[in-house]
């Protein structure tokens, strides 16, 4: 920010005008860890050191034709290998622009393949896959992994790639390739291979049928685009999916079905002897076809063929479904037995035989069929071929006669089915059962009674015990007091003392009658009558006197029995006074009994009024400044002790607003004048004083104590990272600067207060010491870690005292030893500490040593001696120089590198050697104690 001043001056005066000019200088800076990536991998770019509030626009250009208008961070996925220049262009609020660039290199092969024999049948399939993958032109493909879609994975990498499938289906095939850089790519082809296998299947519900019957075939084959070829076993074929066929001849037929799908794959199913065609034939034999006297047992034997069901008609109105039944013929006559058989498909056939049974036959009739006992019934027989009649009247009477007309009298009630046995001259006897039942009705009247003796009045229950084999049509009761009833089991209430005779007349549905009379059955006696005189009721305890008064009856013959309701009793007419100590309504009864057992009871109610149970209510607690409504119960009227904090003193529910805890008294009185006293205490809760602890400054993730006291309940917000948000003293672990707010309450929710604790949180600084490095021993290296901008202190460890400084950000390392680890500890303004380390591996190789290939010992002070030079070397163990004939012209050992005085001056035994090419061997000891041997040649120049 610049202050610009303009001063104007005339001859005598001057004036100054000042303006402030602000220059925004935001530089586009961004970084990425993804400068070398694989195809289809995302690279992340993050800008740093830019004040976002000064930026009006961001534009990222990824170098592959795509851009993004995002803020400080963005990611982008590259799908094609190559090298791309990424730009970040920022535009500030004044329209100034700045650009930063970096390069991203994208490697990676592209997977691709083709398929031959992609569609084939299961029984002959072998599919070939051809790799069409391409590398990125730099890194060759080193791995091929085929997934054939059936669980088989081929990682052999050896062509040709072929595979046979064990089951039919559509298979997704994929190829994964990996190049030498480690990048992978996958090519996948859904339904790349189709293996087809139709399955032939069928069934018929009509495999057993008769000639001319319809046989339906139902196809159950599976496959797509099927064509059908049926062989029906009788020379006929069909191409329908579900053919229907009629077979004209009896026989057994084999059925075959061949299916062909859209890929010309086939399957066949043959069912030998699958369809059976037949026609039923009815035939049977019998054991007897003639009898001179019934009954005749005939055994039927079935000889039918090719049937599924049969039925027999025996010609006498009966039938059977048994295969070979037996049947009794019980009546003389000519019968035709018929067998009907049914075959598959509903075909039927019948066979018939004649059966003749000789002997007497006939029938008989009789009237009347019903009547009251005794009942006379007339019988008339109509017969053929008989000589005698045997009449069985079913009541134990049997008469044998030649008469076809006869009468019989039934003296007992009941139901009777008569029989007639016909006997011809040859002695053949045939029984005939009567077609109707003779029903003889009888009635016997009777009844029972319950209690028959009563006092004053009574209800008598009569139970009818009449016996009859007929329905009872009516009951006629006479109760002896001028009243009657027609109920079966009546009850009757006698209201007048006296002695009564009861009778019952019963009539059946058939008109049969009977009656019964009981003399002096019911007796009714008059009750005595009494009353009770007593004192009035009162509040507990109350004393009451009682006396008995006789209204009717003989006082000398009465027995008294008192119950006073308080657990006391007495047996005299005028008992002692009673005391009632418990509040209640007491029912006092007095019962008298006369010489006939008749009684009378008198009762009165004595009220012992209770002392009221006055309840001022449960003790209350209120917040100061509020009020409570009192509610007294248990009485009819109330009087509160006078208090300025009560809204009224004679109402049951006054309002109370005390400022301190107070006890209130109330007197309750009932409508009977009884009263009692009770009290209630109102506790007043006072406000509290909240005290909150001080704030703190910590590093992210460091526990901080939050402290609040003075209240009963606490709630800390935000609660994230707080060990117990509901405790007054608790611990929080913040990761950003946070103001914790506590809401405090008392246990009664009367008062609420809030407080806050501010915790300033410093984030840990970031440091990346870099990747481990390998250098030549003795060389120097500047360590350049990446630091966050908040670091205020740097501290390095200094193994072997090899660092140029220990408190600077980028020290210089002088390598010693084979391996040294350098740890950097950084601290920011909040005292937060972060460490990282880097390991330097020092190796000894040709890079440590320099041996000249020429030298010129001409005493000009330049390159006059031949000697080893280098860094990180402890000692030259030996140096030997040979001429072309193998003669050693110079030998030196155990001297320091870079020591010209210890080198060869081009002479041998004091004589200067001529210019030539000489061979040398040199043993060098490095600082890591490694010994290196070097051989070479050097040219001596003059």
């Amino acid at each position: 920010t610049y202050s610009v001043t303009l001063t104007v001056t005339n001859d005598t005066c001057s004036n100054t005008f000042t303006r402030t000019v602000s220059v925004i200088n935001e530089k586009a800076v961004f970084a990425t860890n993804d400068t070398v990536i694989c195809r289809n991998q995302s690279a992340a770019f993050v800008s740093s050191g830019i004040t976002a509030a000064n930026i009006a626009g961001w534009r990222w250009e990824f170098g592959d034709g795509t851009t993004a208008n995002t803020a400080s961070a963005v990611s982008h996925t590259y799908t094609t290998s190559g090298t791309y220049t990424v730009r970040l262009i920022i535009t500030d609020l004044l329209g100034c622009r700045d650009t930063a660039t970096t390069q991203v290199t994208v490697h990676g092969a592209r997977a691709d393949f083709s398929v031959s024999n992609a569609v084939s049948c299961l029984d002959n399939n072998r599919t070939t896959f051809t790799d069409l993958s391409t590398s990125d032109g730099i890194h060759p493909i080193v791995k091929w992994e085929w997934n054939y879609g059936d669980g088989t994975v081929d990682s052999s990498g050896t062509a040709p790639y072929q595979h046979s499938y064990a089951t039919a289906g559509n298979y997704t095939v994929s190829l994964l390739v990996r190049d030498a850089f480690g990048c992978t790519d996958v090519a996948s082809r859904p339904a790349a291979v189709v293996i087809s296998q139709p399955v032939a299947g069928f069934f018929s519900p009509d495999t057993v049928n008769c000639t001319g019957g319809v046989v339906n075939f139902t196809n159950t084959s599976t496959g797509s685009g099927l064509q059908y070829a049926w062989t029906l076993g009788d020379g006929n074929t069909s191409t329908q999916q579900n053919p229907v066929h009629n077979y004209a001849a009896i026989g057994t037929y084999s059925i075959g079905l061949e299916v062909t799908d859209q890929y010309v794959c086939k399957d066949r199913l043959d069912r030998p002897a699958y369809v059976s065609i037949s026609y039923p034939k009815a035939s049977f034999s019998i054991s007897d076809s003639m009898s001179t006297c019934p009954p005749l047992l005939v055994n039927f034997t079935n000889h039918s063929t090719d049937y599924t069901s049969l039925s027999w008609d025996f010609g006498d109105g009966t039938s059977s479904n048994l295969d070979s039944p037996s049947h009794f013929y019980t009546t003389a006559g000519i019968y035709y037995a018929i067998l009907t058989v049914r075959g598959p498909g509903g075909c039927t056939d019948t066979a018939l035989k004649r059966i003749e049974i000789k002997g007497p036959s006939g029938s008989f009739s009789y009237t009347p069929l019903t009547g009251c006992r005794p009942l006379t019934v007339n019988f008339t027989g109509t017969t053929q071929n008989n000589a005698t009649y045997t009449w069985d009247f079913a009541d134990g009477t049997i008469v044998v006669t030649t008469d076809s007309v006869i009468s019989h009298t039934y003296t007992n009630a009941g139901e009777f089915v008569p029989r007639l046995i016909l006997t011809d001259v040859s002695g053949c006897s045939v029984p005939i059962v009567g077609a109707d039942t003779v029903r003889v009705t009888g009635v016997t009247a009777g009844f029972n009674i319950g209690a028959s003796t009563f006092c004053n009045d009574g209800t008598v229950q009569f139970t009818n015990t009449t016996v009859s084999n007929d329905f009872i049509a009516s009951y006629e009761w006479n109760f002896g007091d001028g009243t009657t009833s027609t109920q079966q089991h009546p009850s009757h209430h006698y209201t007048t003392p006296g002695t009564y005779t009861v009778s019952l007349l019963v009539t059946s549905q058939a008109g049969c009658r009977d009656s019964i009379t009981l003399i002096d059955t019911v007796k009714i006696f008059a009750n005595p009558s009494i009353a009770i005189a007593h004192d009035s009721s009162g509040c507990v305890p109350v004393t009451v006197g009682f006396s008995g008064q006789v209204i009717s009856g003989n006082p000398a013959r009465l027995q008294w029995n008192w119950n006073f309701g308080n657990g006391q009793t007495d047996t005299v007419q005028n008992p002692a006074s009673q005391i009632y100590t418990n509040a209640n309504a007491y029912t006092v009864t007095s019962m008298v009994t006369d010489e006939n057992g008749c009684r009378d009871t008198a009762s009165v109610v004595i009220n012992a009024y209770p002392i009221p149970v006055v309840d001022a209510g449960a003790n209350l607690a209120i917040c100061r400044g509020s009020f409570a409504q009192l509610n007294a119960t248990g009485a009819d009227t109330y009087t509160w002790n006078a208090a300025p904090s009560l809204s009224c003193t004679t109402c049951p529910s006054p309002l109370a607003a005390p400022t301190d805890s107070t006890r209130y008294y109330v007197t309750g009185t009932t409508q009977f004048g009884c009263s009692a006293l009770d009290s209630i205490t109102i506790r007043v809760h006072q406000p509290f004083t909240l005290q909150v602890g001080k704030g703190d400054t910590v590093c992210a993730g460091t526990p901080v104590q939050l402290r609040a006291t003075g209240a009963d309940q606490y709630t800390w917000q935000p609660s994230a990272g707080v060990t117990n948000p509901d405790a007054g003293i608790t611990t929080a672990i913040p990761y950003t600067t946070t103001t914790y707010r506590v809401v405090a309450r008392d246990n009664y929710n009367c008062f609420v207060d809030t407080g806050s604790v501010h915790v300033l949180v410093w984030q840990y600084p970031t440091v990346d010491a870099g990747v481990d490095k390998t250098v030549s021993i003795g060389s120097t290296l500047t360590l350049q870690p990446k630091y966050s901008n908040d670091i205020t202190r740097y501290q390095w460890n200094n193994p072997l005292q090899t660092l140029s400084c220990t408190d600077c950000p980028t020290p210089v390392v002088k390598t010693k030893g084979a391996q040294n680890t350098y740890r950097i500890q950084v601290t920011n303004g909040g005292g937060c500490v972060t460490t990282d380390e880097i390991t330097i591996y020092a190796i000894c190789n040709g890079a440590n040593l320099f041996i000249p290939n020429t030298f010129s010992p001409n005493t000009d002070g330049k390159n006059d001696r031949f000697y080893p030079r280098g860094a990180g070397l402890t000692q030259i163990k030996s140096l030997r120089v040979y001429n072309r004939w193998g003669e050693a012209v110079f030998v030196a050992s155990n001297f320091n590198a870079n020591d010209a005085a210890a080198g060869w001056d081009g002479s041998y035994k004091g004589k200067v050697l001529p210019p030539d090419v000489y061979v040398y061997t040199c043993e060098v000891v490095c600082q890591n104690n490694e010994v290196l041997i070097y051989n070479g040649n050097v040219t001596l120049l003059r």
Side-chain angles (χ1 to χ4, degrees):
T1 301
Y2 302 92
S3 178
V4 180
T5 303
L6 169 64
T7 303
V8 293
T9 306
N10 62 12
D11 292 340
T12 60
C13 302
S14 65
N15 194 12
T16 301
F17 183 75
T18 302
R19 282 285 188 267
T20 299
V21 178
S22 295
V23 179
I24 299 175
N25 186 26
E26 293 292 344
K27 294 294 184 181
V29 179
F30 71 96
T32 179
N33 293 326
D34 305 317
T35 56
V36 180
I37 61 174
C38 294
R39 270 190 339 101
N40 299 320
Q41 179 179 335
S42 293
F45 306 96
V46 180
S47 63
S48 60
I50 299 176
T51 304
N54 294 332
I55 306 303
W58 306 75
R59 177 179 174 84
W60 295 87
E61 296 179 353
F62 301 110
D64 60 351
T66 59
T67 62
N69 295 322
T70 315
S72 58
V74 67
S75 63
H76 181 65
T77 301
Y78 291 90
T79 59
T80 306
S81 59
T83 300
Y84 301 90
T85 298
V86 182
R87 292 182 175 85
L88 169 61
I89 304 171
I90 61 174
T91 304
D92 65 19
L93 298 176
L94 299 179
C96 303
R97 303 177 65 185
D98 192 41
T99 302
T101 63
T102 191
Q103 285 192 328
V104 175
T105 301
V106 181
H107 298 307
R110 187 180 298 275
D112 193 13
F113 65 92
S114 63
V115 183
S116 62
N117 301 327
V119 178
S120 58
C121 300
L122 180 64
D123 57 358
N124 183 23
N125 78 89
R126 187 164 185 81
T127 304
T128 301
F129 304 89
T130 302
D131 173 38
L132 302 178
S133 305
T134 56
S135 71
D136 59 8
I138 300 175
H139 306 94
I141 299 175
V142 298
K143 181 178 180 180
W144 293 260
E145 183 178 281
W146 295 86
N147 189 324
Y148 295 123
D150 61 349
T152 303
V153 177
D154 181 4
S155 302
S156 65
T158 303
Y161 302 105
Q162 295 180 325
H163 184 62
S164 296
Y165 291 87
T167 58
N170 294 345
Y171 296 93
T172 297
V173 179
S174 62
L175 169 63
L176 180 146
V177 297
R178 177 179 288 109
D179 63 14
F181 188 72
C183 298
T184 61
D185 191 36
V186 177
S188 182
R189 302 276 194 278
V193 177
V194 177
I195 304 299
S196 180
Q197 178 56 58
V199 178
F202 66 89
F203 74 91
S204 173
D206 309 315
T207 56
V208 179
N209 213 328
C210 58
T211 55
V214 176
V215 178
N216 296 277
F217 295 96
T218 300
N219 166 60
T220 60
S221 304
T222 58
S224 59
L226 296 180
Q227 296 180 351
Y228 306 93
W230 294 82
T231 55
L232 302 176
D234 61 350
N236 290 298
T237 61
S238 176
T239 59
Q240 297 179 2
Q241 182 178 0
N242 299 296
V244 178
H245 188 59
N246 296 329
Y247 290 89
I250 295 174
T252 301
Y253 300 93
S254 297
I255 309 300
L257 170 60
E258 182 178 270
V259 293
T260 304
D261 67 9
Q262 61 180 348
Y263 306 112
V264 200
C265 299
K266 299 179 180 294
D267 189 38
R268 183 176 181 85
L269 174 63
D270 289 290
R271 294 186 183 276
Y274 187 61
V275 175
S276 177
I277 304 299
S278 62
Y279 198 89
K281 179 63 177 178
S283 175
F284 68 94
S285 60
I286 58 177
S287 59
D288 291 291
S289 61
M290 176 71 72
S291 175
T292 58
C293 185
L296 173 63
L297 174 62
V298 179
N299 296 317
F300 296 85
T301 303
N302 175 33
H303 302 294
S304 304
T305 58
D306 299 325
Y307 66 94
T308 58
S309 64
L310 56 79
S311 63
W312 297 86
D313 183 352
F314 297 121
D316 59 352
T318 61
S319 60
S320 174
N321 291 321
L322 297 177
D323 185 70
S324 295
S326 297
H327 183 65
F328 276 98
Y329 290 90
T330 59
T331 305
I334 296 175
Y335 304 95
Y336 292 92
I338 301 174
L339 170 62
T340 300
V341 293
R342 182 180 298 273
C347 310
T348 61
D349 190 31
T350 59
L352 179 145
K353 291 189 180 297
R354 181 179 183 276
I355 298 172
E356 181 180 359
I357 302 173
K358 298 180 179 181
S361 62
S363 63
F364 67 100
S365 61
Y366 39 94
T367 60
L369 298 179
T370 60
C372 299
R373 62 179 183 183
L375 176 64
T376 300
V377 180
N378 300 311
F379 295 86
T380 301
T382 301
T383 61
Q384 297 176 351
N385 303 324
N386 68 295
T388 60
Y389 300 88
T390 301
W391 296 93
D392 183 352
F393 300 111
D395 63 349
T397 303
I398 297 176
V399 177
V400 180
T401 180
T402 57
D403 295 332
S404 61
V405 178
I406 192 172
S407 297
H408 179 67
T409 300
Y410 290 92
T411 59
N412 295 321
E415 295 183 352
F416 308 95
V417 179
R419 295 193 308 164
L420 174 61
I421 300 175
L422 303 177
T423 303
D424 63 10
V425 293
S426 64
C428 177
S429 297
V430 176
I432 303 173
V433 178
D436 298 304
T437 299
V438 177
R439 292 178 173 83
V440 181
T441 302
V443 179
T444 302
F447 66 87
N448 293 325
I449 62 174
S452 60
T453 301
F454 300 92
C455 293
N456 217 46
D457 67 287
T459 299
V460 179
Q461 178 65 50
F462 298 91
T463 302
N464 169 53
T465 60
T466 300
V467 177
S468 177
N469 64 338
D470 190 11
F471 292 106
I472 302 301
S474 66
Y475 300 92
E476 298 179 27
W477 295 85
N478 189 325
F479 299 119
D481 60 351
T483 59
T484 61
S485 175
T486 59
Q487 297 180 6
Q488 182 179 1
H489 304 289
S491 63
H492 180 63
H493 185 70
Y494 292 89
T495 60
T496 303
T499 301
Y500 303 95
T501 297
V502 180
S503 63
L504 169 63
L505 173 63
V506 180
T507 303
S508 75
Q509 192 173 16
C512 305
R513 300 164 64 90
D514 192 28
S515 64
I516 183 174
T517 299
L518 297 180
I519 300 174
D520 296 338
T521 306
V522 179
K523 295 181 179 180
I524 306 297
F525 299 102
N527 280 333
S529 178
I530 63 172
I532 299 175
H534 63 88
D535 297 332
S536 60
S537 301
C539 296
V540 293
V542 59
T543 301
V544 181
F546 300 93
S547 64
Q549 298 177 341
V550 178
I551 298 174
S552 65
N554 186 356
R557 306 294 298 270
L558 296 180
Q559 297 180 357
W560 294 80
N561 190 353
W562 290 85
N563 186 331
F564 300 105
N566 60 354
Q568 301 297 318
T569 62
D570 208 336
T571 58
V572 298
Q573 183 175 355
N574 298 306
S577 296
Q578 298 294 313
I579 299 175
Y580 294 92
T581 58
N582 296 322
N584 205 344
Y586 295 90
T587 299
V588 179
T589 60
S590 178
M591 183 179 67
V592 294
T593 305
D594 65 10
E595 69 275 15
N596 296 316
C598 295
R599 299 176 178 178
D600 188 30
T601 300
S603 63
V604 294
V605 175
I606 300 299
N607 288 300
Y609 298 117
I611 301 300
V613 181
V614 178
D615 185 6
N619 293 335
L620 300 175
I622 63 174
C623 305
R624 181 167 182 166
S626 62
F627 64 88
Q629 184 170 30
L630 308 183
N631 187 25
T633 59
D636 298 318
T637 61
Y638 304 92
T639 300
W640 294 86
N641 64 321
S645 58
L646 286 178
S647 62
C648 66
T649 57
T650 59
C651 58
S653 303
L655 297 178
T659 58
D660 293 300
S661 297
T662 304
R663 188 176 186 87
Y664 299 94
Y665 294 88
V666 62
T667 300
T669 304
T670 68
Q671 61 179 333
F672 306 109
C674 300
S675 63
L677 180 69
D678 195 24
S679 65
I680 180 174
T681 298
I682 297 181
R683 180 184 175 189
V684 180
H685 298 298
Q686 306 297 331
F688 62 86
T689 300
L690 175 65
Q691 295 178 343
V692 180
K694 297 180 179 179
D696 203 352
T697 300
V698 298
C699 299
T702 302
V704 176
Q705 186 184 65
L706 303 179
R707 183 180 185 87
T709 59
D712 298 321
Q713 301 175 15
Y714 307 89
T715 301
W716 291 93
Q717 291 292 337
S719 61
V722 179
T723 303
N724 186 357
D726 297 325
I729 300 176
T730 185
T731 300
I733 302 179
Y735 289 91
T736 60
T737 297
T738 304
T739 297
Y740 292 95
R741 180 173 179 268
V742 62
V743 179
R745 294 180 173 83
D746 57 32
N747 285 335
Y748 311 99
N749 289 323
C750 288
F751 304 98
V752 178
D753 197 1
T754 60
S756 62
V757 175
H758 183 74
V759 179
L760 176 62
V761 177
W762 283 78
Q763 302 300 319
Y764 281 93
T766 60
V767 56
D768 181 5
V771 298
D772 296 342
K773 298 182 182 297
T774 300
V775 299
S776 299
I777 192 166
S779 63
T780 59
L781 174 67
T782 299
L783 302 181
Q784 295 181 322
K786 296 180 181 178
Y787 301 101
S788 57
N789 296 330
D790 59 342
I791 296 173
T792 59
R793 182 175 179 272
Y794 306 87
Q795 182 64 48
W796 292 87
N797 71 326
N798 195 3
L800 302 180
Q801 303 302 313
T802 56
L803 293 177
S804 63
C805 60
T806 59
D807 58 355
C808 59
T810 55
V812 178
V813 177
K814 176 69 174 180
T815 55
K816 293 181 180 180
Q819 174 181 335
N820 286 314
T821 297
Y822 300 91
R823 181 176 297 104
I824 175 63
Q825 177 179 290
V826 295
T827 307
N828 62 12
C832 304
V833 177
T834 303
T835 62
D836 196 17
E837 61 183 28
I838 182 173
T839 299
I840 306 300
Y841 299 92
I843 62 174
C844 191
N845 53 27
N848 295 76
L849 180 67
F850 171 70
I851 301 179
N853 57 5
T854 62
F855 77 109
S856 56
N858 54 11
T859 67
D860 62 355
K862 298 179 181 179
N863 202 20
D864 287 336
R865 286 183 174 273
F866 172 68
Y867 62 93
R869 308 165 195 183
L873 306 178
T874 301
Q875 191 180 43
I876 306 301
K877 188 175 182 180
S878 67
L879 174 64
R880 298 174 185 273
V881 182
Y882 302 89
N883 60 21
R884 63 178 62 250
W885 296 279
E887 182 181 10
V889 297
F890 177 77
V891 176
S893 60
N894 299 323
F895 63 93
N896 294 328
N898 306 308
D899 185 1
W904 180 38
D905 61 0
S907 64
Y908 176 57
K909 294 181 180 182
K911 295 181 179 182
V912 176
L913 294 178
D916 203 350
V917 176
Y918 295 86
V919 178
Y920 68 84
T921 178
C922 181
E923 290 183 280
V924 180
V925 180
C926 296
Q927 288 181 353
N928 59 1
N929 294 324
E930 185 177 355
V931 178
L932 301 179
I933 299 176
Y934 292 90
N935 298 308
N937 55 68
V938 60
T939 302
L940 189 153
L941 302 176
R942 291 292 184 186

